[in-house]
């Protein structure tokens, strides 16, 4: 078996013939090599880029806050879902999630010196992150459908990259991200996607809800994946087609990841994602995110 366990999508185990490994990137490679690899493959996958001690501190911080509202059991770093939530009756959901997302430890991982230095090498020039953090605790059964990021980041810089980080080990059975092989070259899909500037729930649905394994097979492509370890990072452009596997943890572990958009410092920034209290894609701030929902509630589809 290529991976440590099954890769499940919409409740069905994916055929091994449509699965493949993510190509690992040398983090010490010069800018020119990184830029060429990103253009050819649509992504860069780096093992252990982030500090393990900082990752553990971030898990303790985030899961500790979720334990306060009854969602995570002790010891909190294990991330085991309690099956219940008192979040909605105890806190304002948007404000609570903003405070969790702006925690010192998680920000040290998502916006810290290590990732900043490496992203400047990726861009080959000074770079900076968006302030808005997409922090995702996913319980058993949660997954994200196939999508491109471009509709959500169509304003400001046209050179935005997503940095998706594993905040803890995330084996394939617990729902990590995968990339569709050559998905950044599917012009029949990308043409319409480039016309969308998503800014409200009234906008067109941009996620592809068909089974990702069946989709990949229909294109003669594979779903490129890995058993992510704490501190692993994958970087990809706005036109990389990606999603996540179902979290099928046999012990009820909550998958924790973060994603942040980075861009050259010289380019214009989309104000929706900047500032102490950014309005976010739809104007609802941190309250619009799936992470703001109690862990007992299903995620929305956009």
């Amino acid at each position: 078996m290529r991976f440590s366990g099954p890769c499940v999508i919409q409740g069905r185990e994916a055929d091994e013939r449509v699965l493949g490994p993510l190509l690992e990137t040398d983090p010490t490679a010069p800018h020119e090599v990184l830029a060429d690899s990103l253009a050819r493959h649509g992504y860069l996958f780096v093992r252990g880029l982030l500090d393990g001690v900082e990752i553990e501190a971030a898990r303790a911080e985030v899961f500790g806050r979720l334990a306060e509202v009854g969602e995570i059991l002790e010891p909190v770093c294990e991330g085991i879902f309690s099956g219940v939530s008192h979040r909605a009756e105890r806190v304002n959901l948007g404000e609570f999630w903003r405070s969790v997302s702006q925690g010192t430890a998680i920000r040290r991982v998502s916006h810290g010196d290590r990732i900043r230095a490496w992203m400047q090498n990726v861009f080959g020039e000074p770079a900076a992150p968006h302030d808005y953090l997409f922090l995702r605790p996913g319980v058993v059964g949660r997954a994200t459908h196939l999508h491109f990021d471009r509709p959500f980041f169509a304003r400001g810089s046209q050179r935005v990259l997503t940095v998706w980080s594993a905040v803890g080990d995330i084996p394939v059975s617990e729902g990590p991200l995968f990339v569709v092989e050559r998905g950044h070259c599917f012009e029949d899909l990308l043409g319409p996607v480039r016309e969308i500037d998503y800014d409200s729930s009234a906008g067109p649905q941009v996620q592809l809800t068909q089974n990702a394994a069946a989709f990949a097979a229909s294109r003669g492509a594979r779903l490129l994946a890995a058993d992510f370890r704490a501190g692993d990072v994958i970087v990809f452009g706005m036109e990389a087609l990606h999603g996540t596997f179902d979290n099928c943890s046999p012990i009820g572990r909550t998958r924790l990841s973060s994603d942040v958009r980075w861009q050259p410092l010289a380019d214009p920034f989309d104000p929706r994602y900047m500032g102490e209290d950014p309005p976010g894609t739809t104007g609802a701030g941190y309250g619009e995110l799936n992470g703001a929902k109690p862990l007992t509630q299903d995620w929305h589809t956009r």
Side-chain angles (χ1 to χ4, degrees):
M1 184 182 292
R2 275 193 194 94
F3 305 113
S4 64
C7 299
V8 178
I9 300 170
Q10 296 177 0
R12 298 174 58 186
E13 186 172 345
D15 190 315
E16 284 197 0
R17 291 173 294 182
V18 299
L19 300 172
L22 286 165
L23 179 68
E24 294 187 21
T25 302
D26 178 0
T28 66
H31 162 69
E32 294 77 13
V33 172
L34 296 176
D36 178 70
S37 185
L38 182 60
R40 284 191 294 118
H41 301 291
Y43 68 89
L44 302 170
F45 173 50
V46 182
R47 291 286 193 187
L49 183 66
L50 304 176
D51 182 76
V53 173
E54 293 181 352
I55 290 287
E56 193 68 7
R59 287 179 66 81
E61 179 182 80
V62 173
F63 284 144
R65 296 297 308 280
L66 298 186
E68 292 173 5
V69 292
E71 296 178 346
I72 296 294
L73 300 175
E74 297 286 349
V76 295
C77 281
E78 289 299 311
I80 306 301
F81 180 38
S82 68
V84 300
S85 175
H86 303 294
R87 196 190 306 196
E89 65 252 36
R90 291 184 183 176
V91 299
N92 174 285
L93 296 180
E95 284 303 309
F96 175 75
W97 199 242
R98 181 167 75 97
S99 70
V100 174
S101 300
Q102 292 178 342
T104 301
I106 188 61
R107 289 281 164 160
R108 192 174 294 120
V109 168
S110 64
H111 290 68
D113 293 341
R114 283 195 179 211
I115 190 63
R116 185 180 299 272
W118 194 68
M119 289 307 295
Q120 293 197 157
N121 189 31
V122 170
F123 283 110
E125 60 186 284
H130 293 181
D131 295 321
Y132 199 62
L133 170 65
F134 292 74
L135 184 62
R136 304 179 194 267
V139 300
V140 170
R142 300 289 184 268
T144 301
H145 292 298
L146 286 173
H147 65 284
F148 301 98
D149 280 355
R150 176 166 292 283
F152 305 104
F153 303 96
R155 307 174 193 177
S157 176
Q158 297 303 297
R159 296 189 288 167
V160 176
L161 295 175
T162 291
V163 176
W164 189 98
S165 305
V167 189
D169 293 345
I170 312 178
V172 291
S173 60
E174 294 186 4
L177 182 140
F178 60 78
V179 174
V180 178
E181 187 176 38
R182 303 188 310 278
H184 63 301
C185 302
F186 293 166
E187 286 298 325
D188 61 315
L189 298 179
L190 285 166
V193 161
R194 294 183 185 121
E195 300 300 316
I196 301 172
D197 179 0
Y198 191 100
D199 63 2
S200 78
S201 58
Q205 182 173 307
V206 297
Q207 292 186 348
L208 306 177
T209 56
Q210 68 194 102
N211 185 282
F215 171 86
S218 74
R219 295 270 173 158
R222 298 176 298 169
L223 306 179
L224 305 180
D227 287 301
F228 280 79
R229 299 191 290 267
D232 291 350
V233 166
I234 184 166
V235 175
F236 50 89
M238 298 295 97
E239 296 185 353
L241 184 57
H242 62 285
T244 71
F245 296 119
D246 298 0
N247 183 352
C248 298
S249 171
I251 61 171
R253 194 187 316 279
T254 303
R255 179 269 269 180
L256 186 62
S257 67
S258 72
D259 46 289
V260 179
R261 275 75 208 172
W262 288 74
Q263 65 174 74
L265 187 60
D267 288 1
F269 285 80
D270 185 337
R272 293 179 298 173
Y273 304 115
M274 303 303 294
E276 179 67 19
D277 190 9
T281 307
T282 68
Y286 277 98
E288 74 185 19
L289 297 177
N290 276 321
K293 295 182 176 184
L295 294 189
T296 50
Q297 293 185 14
D298 290 340
W299 288 352
H300 55 249
T301 299
R302 287 184 170 166

